Amino acid sequence: MNTEAEELILYRSFLKEDLFCGMAKVIRDYELQAVGDDRSLFFDCIHRLLDLAGSYGFHGNLWHCYLADLMVNNENSYSLGCELRGEIPGTVNQAALHDMAVIRKYFNY
């Protein structure tokens, strides 16, 4: 895939989400101006996003809603630790900030 999404550390399970990976590939190809073969992937991603919107009640910016839903429902060592103990000191916060920077990039599309 070779997208920025592969740099995720704590939220790596996003890579198991076909819609997220598909959109990450479409975004990467758009940035590289390599649009062409991925037109069908783009329309497939939009179709899946609209289906999710109907099922989950998303409204407004559906891409933002989808990413927010992924983050809120993702169980990783950081989110579970914060849930159980509150603020977690240490370098794990830097890993979380790194992942948020990657996710923010996708959020801006």
Side-chain angles (χ1 to χ4, degrees):
M1 178 170 46
N2 275 340
T3 64
E4 222 174 311
E6 291 177 328
E7 296 178 9
L8 290 169
I9 299 168
L10 297 168
Y11 290 85
R12 199 147 182 87
S13 63
F14 282 18
L15 300 178
K16 295 178 185 172
E17 296 291 330
D18 290 340
L19 176 55
F20 180 79
C21 288
M23 285 298 289
K25 183 173 180 350
V26 167
I27 290 168
R28 183 207 61 209
D29 289 351
Y30 175 77
E31 288 177 343
L32 295 174
Q33 297 179 347
V35 180
D37 295 338
D38 288 334
R39 283 179 54 88
S40 64
L41 176 60
F42 171 75
F43 288 109
D44 182 59
C45 288
I46 298 303
H47 168 77
R48 285 187 278 159
L49 188 57
L50 288 169
D51 274 354
L52 279 174
S55 298
Y56 287 49
F58 295 164
H59 62 281
N61 187 318
L62 303 182
W63 178 238
H64 288 176
C65 290
Y66 171 71
L67 289 176
D69 183 70
L70 279 182
M71 288 189 305
V72 167
N73 291 304
N74 186 272
E75 291 186 348
N76 58 61
S77 57
Y78 180 74
S79 64
L80 291 173
C82 288
E83 199 174 303
L84 294 173
R85 292 183 292 271
E87 184 179 345
I88 300 174
T91 57
V92 71
N93 290 311
Q94 291 173 342
L97 287 172
H98 166 80
D99 282 6
M100 290 301 117
V102 172
I103 294 167
R104 182 182 170 105
K105 175 190 180 265
Y106 291 108
F107 192 81
N108 288 329
Y109 276 88

